[in-house]
Amino acid sequence: MYDFSSLTEAIHKGLSAHMSPVATQAIEWVIIGVTVILFVALFGLFLVYAERKVCAFFQNRLGPMRVGPWGLLQTIADFIKLLMKELIQPAKADKFLYNLAPFIVIIVPFLTISVIPFAKGLQAFDFDIGVFFVTSVSAVGVIGVLLAGWSSNNKYSLIGAMRSGAQIVSYELSVGLSIITIAILAGSLQVSQIVEGQQATWFIFKGHIPAVIAFFVFVIAGTAETNRGPFDLAEAESELTAGFHTEYSGIKFAFFFLAEYVNLFIVAAIATTVFLGAWMPFHFGHFEGFNRIMDFIPPIFWFFGKVLAVIFLIMWFKWTFPRLRIDQILALEWKFLLPINLVNILIMAFIVLKGWHF
Amino acid sequence: MTTPDEIKTQEYLINMGPQHPSTHGVLRLLLKLEGEIVHNVEPHIGYIHSGIEKMCESLAYPQIVHLTDRMDYLSAHMNNEAVCLCVENAMGIEVPDRVRYIRTIMAELQRLASHQLWWCVMGMDLGALTTFFYGLRDREKVLDIFEETCGARLTVNYSVPGGVMFDIHPNFQKRVKDFIIYFKKKLPEYDQLLTGNVIFKERTKNIGILSLEDAISYGVTGPSGRASGFACDVRKHHPYSAYPLVQFNEALDTAGDTFARYRVRITEMWESLSIIEQLIDNIPGGDYAIKMKGVIKLPEGEFYQRVEAARGEFGVFIISDGKKNPYRLKFRSPGFSNLSALNVIAKGWKIADLVAIMSTLDLVIPDIDR
């Protein structure tokens, strides 16, 4: 298996041979920052393209194949269009908050991406509270949404913001609890240890029933947290025209849009890390030959393969389901997912205590 | 300390439309909301006002037909048929059997096209965008048949007083039969996508209930009225054209909720297919129109003719003073009466439900604001 830490070690050694430790550290930070920003921008673009293609195949659409071969230039054209649009601001909007909101929304994915293990040794920060960090940081995004809705001076935006406030705060619980279920199984909150714990089998198999339940709860709650269909109540274009970002145009709108897609990636990446073994290849019992073959596939491909599979799952139900109503969505969380989750944690704790897992 | 009773939330007004994605055209609804709960819906119409009735009064009878399809462009053929039938009845003309068959088949195809569009928009209003494309894909097949028959796709302009404009295209019967086979495979797909969906049922069952009394007193006809148990199918109770010759069931439901209105329309699509099936192989020979004089003059008097349009009962009322244009002409359009019941149905529900209710009323704005 290719270990990215050899690459990072080489960079670190090369840099520290020529300059002081402080300068080395500073340059390393810049490298990491630029990489993360580039990754977010490019992967965001790719996800927009992927979503267009997936929905085109679901809906017999012909649109996304006009610009470039297979419509490959479509997202680039979109991006240029969004960049060139005039930035409009409502006359009585709260100017400071109105302009601040898109940045708050976009900051969250950058923070969360720092703890995601892309491949062996390819992880920006490895906290001992990594998973806890992810859940707490991802809750910041809702502030941006609320600010955007409130400061736009538009009643539709306000309804959208209030809805998403209620929704994201509620589903945050389920996301957190389903991750904690696995943290119990892993015995650690540190991302690298959670990944190492899945050396033999991924947690979704290791923890069998409770882990599978937790996985489904996580995917549902994660979808709701990223405001995607069928839980896209904050947007709800048929009810609220565009919800909290009605009054945003051009690149500011693109920020919300990009944040949504990167959040989608993050949900998929966390699901992959926690349940599907991150970059760990698929190992099956003591079939050494089979396991050896699986090891030949580089970890980074394993990671992105799993992430894209989860992303496809989330896109799949977005493009087939109607939208729920706000009270139904909250009832689903408080009456079903949360109790299921709490019981699930107890079961998982019991199983770990008794050692009934694989 | 404030008790929950003392906490008063503020009612506020919101304009839904005239350029809102789910008001289907330029309808403006003035909503009085408390939070998300709808307290009052006040429809404001008059943005599209085309003055069709007034224009008709200065036009000769064959010319009127060319305006009526612009009103409810989704049941264009039925509207034209109503005017033609009214003129024919007033003059005491019997049209050939061939015309009656062709008109009925066209009317049912038009109903299918209308319900297909309604179905896809219904899904879209509930956030399931996929239905939009599936419905349009199937509607395209019907529009192709229209195009081949009379050259028009949307504002089908086929009926003229005394018959139809041209004879049917040689391919007509084959294409219609092909379409029936095709659409019978696709209709179950509609059920899979929406009808059986848990979220869809949650969103529509027991929501926006219209009682039988309200349906009758507001004159809610068509599928929206029949979902409340109001047996009002003009095809069944006052048969015209070839409807006395075919066997079909009036799609009825008693629940009166959004889901019932949805189910009634799905059932109607099956019934329409069966009506077309019964007629398509038996179109009798003969003339496709009878010779009419260049200038049609109606005898003095009052004439009324109703047909079952896609949205409900469409009526044409003509007062004639014996000249070549009507002295007074009035349309009874189904959309107007259906919209008038919106406040009764939607009061107390949430905005999201209002959108669902509005789609099941299947409003077409030029039909409301003539």
Side-chain angles (χ1 to χ4, degrees):
Chain A
M1 259 188 288
Y2 181 73
D3 193 345
F4 269 92
S5 50
S6 56
L7 176 72
T8 46
E9 281 296 315
I11 293 174
H12 183 71
K13 273 194 188 127
L15 284 175
S16 37
H18 295 286
M19 51 187 86
S20 67
V22 177
T24 312
Q25 188 108 56
I27 287 180
E28 278 170 0
W29 281 351
V30 170
I31 291 174
I32 291 169
V34 169
T35 319
V36 167
I37 288 173
L38 268 181
F39 173 77
V40 165
L42 293 179
F43 203 75
L45 273 185
F46 165 74
L47 277 181
V48 174
Y49 174 73
E51 171 113 295
R52 271 173 175 262
K53 288 309 262 189
V54 167
C55 106
F57 281 114
F58 272 99
Q59 306 185 333
N60 314 312
R61 284 196 200 210
L62 295 174
M65 59 177 205
R66 297 284 158 118
V67 191
W70 308 292
L72 275 171
L73 300 176
Q74 182 66 55
T75 41
I76 296 163
D78 283 344
F79 181 64
I80 293 169
K81 188 187 87 176
L82 281 169
L83 271 180
M84 282 159 52
K85 288 262 175 180
E86 186 190 354
L87 291 174
I88 299 164
Q89 187 171 321
K92 286 184 182 166
D94 187 324
K95 291 200 175 50
F96 176 68
L97 295 182
Y98 177 84
N99 291 317
L100 181 68
F103 293 100
I104 293 184
V105 171
I106 201 83
I107 276 170
V108 174
F110 287 115
L111 286 174
T112 344
I113 269 182
S114 61
V115 291
I116 286 171
F118 286 96
K120 199 173 185 184
L122 195 65
Q123 186 183 1
F125 298 105
D126 191 15
F127 293 100
D128 50 357
I129 51 154
V131 170
F132 180 65
F133 175 78
V134 167
T135 48
S136 45
V137 158
S138 63
V140 175
V142 67
I143 296 174
V145 171
L146 280 171
L147 284 185
W150 170 257
S151 64
S152 291
N153 187 31
N154 177 333
K155 283 169 190 165
Y156 282 117
S157 305
L158 187 61
I159 301 176
M162 289 304 144
R163 277 181 175 188
S164 72
Q167 182 187 328
I168 296 177
V169 168
S170 307
Y171 277 88
E172 198 72 47
L173 283 167
S174 276
V175 170
L177 287 176
S178 51
I179 292 178
I180 284 175
T181 315
I182 296 304
I184 292 171
L185 185 61
S188 170
L189 283 172
Q190 193 168 4
V191 174
S192 60
Q193 285 197 16
I194 287 180
V195 178
E196 287 300 330
Q198 306 182 64
Q199 182 92 49
T201 37
W202 303 348
F203 279 151
I204 194 167
F205 302 124
K206 192 179 181 187
H208 46 92
I209 300 162
V212 172
I213 295 173
F215 178 71
F216 281 109
V217 170
F218 180 82
V219 170
I220 294 171
T223 317
E225 222 200 319
T226 48
N227 275 333
R228 284 179 61 82
F231 307 112
D232 53 345
L233 270 296
E235 253 184 82
E237 82 284 343
S238 63
E239 297 142 34
L240 307 178
T241 59
F244 65 93
H245 56 54
T246 309
E247 300 291 353
Y248 285 87
S249 65
I251 194 70
K252 282 186 200 160
F253 170 76
F255 275 4
F256 286 111
F257 214 65
L258 186 66
E260 184 187 318
Y261 281 106
V262 182
N263 278 328
L264 170 65
F265 163 74
I266 285 165
V267 166
I270 293 170
T272 306
T273 309
V274 175
F275 295 97
L276 304 175
W279 45 264
M280 279 292 174
F282 181 69
H283 286 168
F284 193 75
H286 299 292
F287 294 98
E288 289 303 329
F290 177 78
N291 293 349
R292 194 87 38 84
I293 293 167
M294 288 291 130
D295 284 345
F296 269 116
I297 305 171
I300 198 153
F301 285 113
W302 276 107
F303 179 78
F304 277 101
K306 291 173 201 172
V307 165
L308 291 178
V310 177
I311 287 177
F312 177 74
L313 179 74
I314 294 175
M315 284 183 179
W316 182 359
F317 57 73
K318 165 159 185 167
W319 292 115
T320 41
F321 281 178
R323 184 180 298 119
L324 279 155
R325 209 174 54 201
I326 184 68
D327 58 322
Q328 290 168 343
I329 213 170
L330 294 180
L332 174 73
E333 161 67 13
W334 292 100
K335 289 187 184 163
F336 297 99
L337 292 187
L338 195 60
I340 288 173
N341 231 332
L342 289 170
V343 173
N344 198 30
I345 285 185
L346 282 180
I347 298 173
M348 179 59 97
F350 193 69
I351 282 177
V352 171
L353 211 62
K354 288 275 180 188
W356 283 348
H357 54 74
F358 293 122
Chain B
M1 215 183 107
T2 46
T3 60
D5 293 333
E6 287 167 41
I7 301 169
K8 280 248 156 51
T9 46
Q10 202 182 343
E11 271 191 355
Y12 59 104
L13 293 172
I14 222 176
N15 275 314
M16 207 169 183
Q19 66 296 69
H20 190 275
S22 66
T23 52
H24 303 189
V26 292
L27 177 67
R28 176 161 84 102
L29 298 175
L30 191 58
L31 304 184
K32 198 182 272 178
L33 298 177
E34 190 190 324
E36 297 225 4
I37 297 164
V38 177
H39 278 198
N40 198 45
V41 187
E42 199 181 315
H44 283 236
I45 57 172
Y47 285 87
I48 211 166
H49 192 61
S50 45
I52 282 187
E53 284 170 9
K54 202 68 200 160
M55 277 155 76
C56 287
E57 282 163 21
S58 59
L59 290 174
Y61 290 103
Q63 290 174 310
I64 291 175
V65 178
H66 301 297
L67 286 183
T68 44
D69 49 43
R70 266 82 176 164
M71 288 196 305
D72 184 351
Y73 41 78
L74 293 177
S75 42
H77 181 84
M78 285 86 113
N79 290 5
N80 287 351
E81 197 183 356
V83 176
C84 295
L85 286 172
C86 193
V87 171
E88 284 154 13
N89 286 351
M91 297 174 75
I93 297 171
E94 268 292 315
V95 291
D97 271 352
R98 187 176 176 80
V99 175
R100 295 165 62 192
Y101 272 71
I102 293 172
R103 277 182 182 171
T104 310
I105 293 169
M106 286 294 278
E108 291 310 312
L109 283 175
Q110 181 82 74
R111 196 182 314 283
L112 277 174
S114 172
H115 285 353
Q116 281 165 349
L117 188 72
W118 157 80
W119 181 80
C120 53
V121 173
M122 167 101 201
M124 193 172 70
D125 282 345
L126 293 176
L129 205 61
T130 309
T131 64
F132 189 68
F133 292 87
Y134 283 27
L136 283 186
R137 173 195 65 193
D138 302 336
R139 182 167 174 264
E140 206 65 12
K141 310 261 176 205
V142 188
L143 297 190
D144 285 345
I145 295 173
F146 286 160
E147 190 180 13
E148 205 176 50
T149 311
C150 64
R153 289 167 69 82
L154 183 68
T155 52
V156 174
N157 212 313
Y158 193 42
S159 283
V160 290
V164 288
M165 206 174 268
F166 326 101
D167 204 358
I168 48 172
H169 193 273
N171 288 340
F172 182 72
Q173 278 163 307
K174 189 186 167 297
R175 284 193 84 142
V176 172
K177 277 189 270 186
D178 285 350
F179 168 73
I180 291 174
I181 295 166
Y182 168 82
F183 196 51
K184 276 196 169 167
K185 277 194 212 122
K186 294 295 175 186
L187 255 176
E189 201 178 65
Y190 286 24
D191 285 337
Q192 285 166 11
L193 206 53
L194 276 192
T195 321
N197 190 298
V198 188
I199 299 178
F200 182 75
K201 281 187 191 156
E202 282 284 309
R203 285 294 306 274
T204 51
K205 277 206 168 149
N206 294 322
I207 280 164
I209 296 164
L210 176 69
S211 65
L212 176 61
E213 292 74 38
D214 281 336
I216 292 171
S217 66
Y218 281 90
V220 179
T221 52
S224 319
R226 287 199 281 282
S228 309
F230 180 18
C232 57
D233 197 329
V234 183
R235 298 174 293 171
K236 203 84 185 167
H237 300 284
H238 305 276
Y240 55 95
S241 291
Y243 288 113
L245 309 169
V246 289
Q247 295 284 321
F248 69 100
N249 297 321
E250 186 175 3
L252 273 177
D253 206 317
T254 46
D257 57 358
T258 312
F259 191 67
R261 287 190 285 275
Y262 171 89
R263 280 307 292 268
V264 163
R265 283 199 177 83
I266 294 283
T267 320
E268 264 198 19
M269 285 204 251
W270 285 107
E271 293 298 329
S272 289
L273 284 177
S274 118
I275 293 173
I276 299 171
E277 261 184 339
Q278 291 171 48
L279 295 175
I280 192 70
D281 279 325
N282 310 318
I283 301 179
D287 282 337
Y288 61 87
I290 53 168
K291 269 243 173 297
M292 299 284 279
K293 275 182 281 178
V295 178
I296 297 174
K297 282 182 180 166
L298 257 57
E300 272 181 50
E302 298 176 359
F303 309 99
Y304 185 68
Q305 173 66 45
R306 47 182 157 189
V307 296
E308 179 74 16
R311 261 146 287 280
E313 181 181 324
F314 180 80
V316 181
F317 179 60
I318 298 177
I319 302 178
S320 168
D321 55 356
K323 296 215 185 78
K324 67 176 171 33
N325 49 335
Y327 172 73
R328 175 80 177 96
L329 184 139
K330 171 93 178 90
F331 294 119
R332 188 259 179 227
S333 60
F336 186 77
S337 319
N338 293 1
L339 175 68
S340 67
L342 181 61
N343 193 19
V344 180
I345 311 176
K347 209 180 265 184
W349 294 100
K350 296 200 162 54
I351 318 181
D353 296 322
L354 175 72
V355 172
I357 289 164
M358 232 171 15
S359 354
T360 48
L361 286 180
D362 194 12
L363 305 170
V364 166
I365 308 308
D367 185 46
I368 295 164
D369 178 23
R370 301 176 298 276

